[in-house]
Amino acid sequence: MLNFEGKSIILFDGNCNLCNASLNFIIKHDKKERFLFASLQSDAAKEILLQYSSKNLTLDSIVLIEEQKIFTKSTAALKISKYLNNEFKFLYTFIITPSFIRDYVYDYIAENRYKWYGKRLKCLVPSPKLKDRFIEI
């Protein structure tokens, strides 16, 4: 099993412009560098997800792996917000909203993200400064 002690892993749709913009936002506001990243299309993500075969995951959801637990959709997004700069931590309070409501909104955005924000032909290539935060296998 891969070990990323003290870090949380975010798996994202590397072809989605909205997802890439969200990833850049997370990087900018993750001052403690808690998060490591991998595109859902990458071999690294496939290797990591093999450890969580009980989950049926698709490319339309952000995935957060934290303390050997896997979170998706709105729960993943809200848990990520908990670790961002102070002004964004408040978003985590929305976790009290029932997940079927949160995930309904999440799914609506996910279904329309390519239409609204476009799609990349290639996954994000991290800058040399950020390369060590992206998981490669």
Side-chain angles (χ1 to χ4, degrees):
M1 182 171 269
L2 297 171
N3 182 13
F4 299 104
E5 190 71 33
K7 299 287 185 180
S8 296
I9 301 169
I10 297 174
L11 306 178
F12 65 99
D13 179 355
N15 295 328
C16 168
N17 285 335
L18 174 61
C19 303
N20 280 281
S22 298
L23 185 74
N24 286 328
F25 179 87
I26 292 167
I27 290 168
K28 180 179 178 181
H29 297 284
D30 177 26
K31 297 299 182 193
K32 293 182 180 178
E33 297 187 358
R34 176 185 183 85
F35 298 110
L36 300 175
F37 310 96
S39 163
L40 281 163
Q41 293 86 353
S42 71
D43 290 337
K46 291 173 186 148
E47 179 80 17
I48 292 166
L49 289 173
L50 284 175
Q51 300 172 47
Y52 301 94
S53 60
S54 63
K55 286 289 224 178
N56 184 15
L57 300 173
T58 62
L59 293 182
D60 66 348
S61 177
I62 190 169
V63 177
L64 172 67
I65 300 170
E66 179 178 69
E67 298 175 4
Q68 302 299 317
K69 296 178 188 154
I70 192 164
F71 303 95
T72 60
K73 298 186 180 189
S74 65
T75 301
L78 291 173
K79 283 187 169 282
I80 290 166
S81 74
K82 181 169 60 170
Y83 298 106
L84 300 181
N85 293 352
N86 290 336
E87 63 266 25
F88 300 104
K89 288 179 190 250
F90 82 92
L91 293 171
Y92 185 68
T93 61
F94 288 104
I95 201 81
I96 64 171
T97 304
S99 62
F100 73 91
I101 295 171
R102 291 186 278 115
D103 286 345
Y104 176 81
V105 174
Y106 185 97
D107 289 339
Y108 180 75
I109 294 168
E111 288 172 16
N112 292 288
R113 70 189 189 280
Y114 293 143
K115 181 171 52 172
W116 294 341
Y117 299 98
K119 187 174 181 177
R120 296 172 178 244
L121 297 177
K122 293 183 180 179
C123 292
L124 172 75
V125 177
S127 69
K129 181 181 174 185
L130 294 174
K131 192 150 181 70
D132 63 333
R133 295 188 63 194
F134 283 77
I135 302 167
E136 295 180 5
I137 294 179

